[in-house]
Amino acid sequence: MTDQTPKASAPANVSFLGLGTMGGAMARHLGNAGHHLTIYNRSPARAEAWQAANPGITVRVATSPANAAEGADAIITCVGNDDDLADVVLSPNGAFSSLKRGALYIDHTTVSARIARQIAVEGRDKELLCVDAPVTGGQSGAEAGTLAIMCGGSAKAVDAARPILEAYAKRVVHVGKSGAGQTAKMANQMCIAGALAGLSEAIRFAQIAHLDLDKVFEAISGGAAQSWQMDNRFHTMAKDEFDFGFAIDWMRKDLGLAMDEARNLGASVPVTALVDQFYVDVQAMGYGREDTSALIRRLPRRKAGK
C-alpha cells in the first residue's frame, strides 16, 4: 500500500484483469482514485486475496473476462504473454465478447506487436478505443504510482486512456499507431539488458581489482556511465541481492519478443542476442526467478586461475 495521493480523474467503471505483482498495484491505485473497480484474475484465489488485502475499493469480483467487461467504460489487462492475452480478450468468453460499443481497452502486458495490432483490428467493428500500453518502472514504480507508459493506438484512444493511466503513471507517451507501444517496450528492454551486462562486468572488474566499490560508485555515477541500473542496482549487485521483482525468466521472454520483431524488421541486434545467451547461463545455474540484475552471477569473483 502506498501513501501517495491518487491523481484525480472523473470516476469510471473500470475492470482490471490480471492481479499479479504489477497489475495488483495498478488496480489498487485505480480504486483509490475513486473509479468503480471490477477485478478479475484467472486464479480466483488471487482475486480473493487481493480483495481481502484492499478492502473497500472493489465494486465486484468478476467470474470471467466477459463478465468483467459487462457495463465497463474501460477494461485493462495485465497478464503473462500472447496466449494469455488472446484468451482473456478474444476467446468466446473473452472481454471483447461483452464489452460495449465505444468502450476503452488498455493492455499493459508486454507482448508481441503482432497481437497488439490484431486486437486493435478486432476492436474496430465495435468502435473500441484500443491502446497497447506496456509499462516500465518495475514493481517499485507500480507500487508508488510512478510508472512510465509507452502507448500505441490512435490519438483519440490514447487521449481517452490518459486520465485513467495517470492514476499510476508519471509519464504517458503516445509513441505511434497500434503496436508501437509494444515495439517501444522492446527497445526499452534492449537498453536494460545492455546496461546490466556492462554494469555486471564493471562491478566484477572493480572487485577483482580490490577497489573500494563505494568510491568507484561515487566517481563514476555522476558522469557518462550513469544509468538507472547503476543508481539502483550497483550496491545490491555487489552484495548478491537480487530480490527486486522482475525475473530473468520474464526478461528472456521480452528479449525473445524483441529479437523476433528485429528479424521481422530486418534489424541487427547482436548485443541483445548475446545478453540473452548470458541470461540462459544464469537460468542454467538455477536463478531464473531472480531479478534481472542477477546477470552478474555468471561472472567469477576471482582472477582466472586463483
Side-chain angles (χ1 to χ4, degrees):
M1 193 75 72
T2 179
D3 293 328
Q4 177 169 319
T5 302
K7 302 177 179 71
S9 63
N13 295 321
V14 180
S15 295
F16 204 104
L17 283 64
L19 300 169
T21 300
M22 300 293 288
M26 289 187 274
R28 182 168 60 248
H29 285 294
L30 289 168
N32 287 337
H35 293 295
H36 309 300
L37 183 65
T38 292
I39 59 171
Y40 170 78
N41 199 81
R42 286 174 298 164
S43 168
R46 176 169 283 181
E48 293 168 5
W50 187 94
Q51 188 178 33
N54 299 278
I57 64 172
T58 306
V59 174
R60 68 186 179 102
V61 179
T63 57
S64 69
N67 179 240
E70 291 172 1
D73 300 312
I75 192 159
I76 304 172
T77 49
C78 188
V79 291
N81 54 38
D82 283 32
D83 290 342
D84 297 333
L85 186 60
D87 182 53
V88 300
V89 176
L90 302 177
S91 70
N93 202 29
F96 276 18
S97 68
S98 60
L99 192 57
K100 67 185 179 183
R101 185 172 296 275
L104 174 66
Y105 170 68
I106 302 168
D107 177 44
H108 290 313
T109 316
T110 297
V111 289
S112 68
R114 177 196 58 77
I115 196 169
R117 292 189 289 263
Q118 179 186 350
I119 286 173
V121 169
E122 295 283 346
R124 285 177 189 168
D125 289 343
K126 298 186 74 170
E127 300 176 1
L128 301 179
L129 300 174
C130 296
V131 182
D132 53 286
V135 306
T136 186
Q139 181 179 351
S140 60
E143 293 287 347
T146 57
L147 293 169
I149 305 181
M150 49 216 85
C151 299
S154 69
K156 181 179 179 182
V158 175
D159 286 346
R162 211 175 279 275
I164 291 174
L165 300 178
E166 287 174 350
Y168 44 81
K170 68 175 181 180
R171 180 183 301 174
V172 178
V173 180
H174 184 193
V175 180
K177 61 186 179 180
S178 295
Q182 293 297 344
T183 309
K185 177 62 183 287
M186 295 170 197
N188 181 82
Q189 301 304 77
M190 291 179 187
C191 290
I192 291 172
L196 280 171
L199 185 58
S200 296
E201 292 187 3
I203 292 171
R204 282 289 189 260
F205 173 81
Q207 288 173 326
I208 291 171
H210 302 295
L211 299 179
D212 182 326
L213 291 188
D214 290 336
K215 294 297 185 183
V216 172
F217 179 81
E218 181 182 357
I220 71 176
S221 62
Q226 186 274 339
S227 68
W228 187 97
Q229 298 297 334
M230 179 177 288
D231 288 348
N232 291 274
R233 297 288 178 262
F234 185 101
H235 296 294
T236 55
M237 289 167 72
K239 292 186 288 186
D240 290 340
E241 296 175 358
F242 306 113
D243 186 18
F244 301 104
F246 190 68
I248 286 170
D249 291 344
W250 288 110
M251 175 58 98
R252 286 216 62 225
K253 181 209 78 170
D254 291 358
L255 295 181
L257 292 170
M259 289 186 290
D260 285 345
E261 190 68 9
R263 281 189 286 272
N264 293 337
L265 295 170
S268 178
V269 290
V271 173
T272 300
L274 181 61
V275 178
D276 180 61
Q277 289 305 302
F278 291 164
Y279 276 125
V280 171
D281 295 342
V282 183
Q283 284 178 317
M285 296 167 68
Y287 300 120
R289 298 305 301 167
E290 291 190 337
D291 178 78
T292 52
S293 60
L295 184 63
I296 196 173
R297 284 194 181 276
R298 67 178 296 277
L299 299 174
R301 284 180 169 272
R302 298 177 179 85
K303 296 178 184 179
K306 296 292 185 179

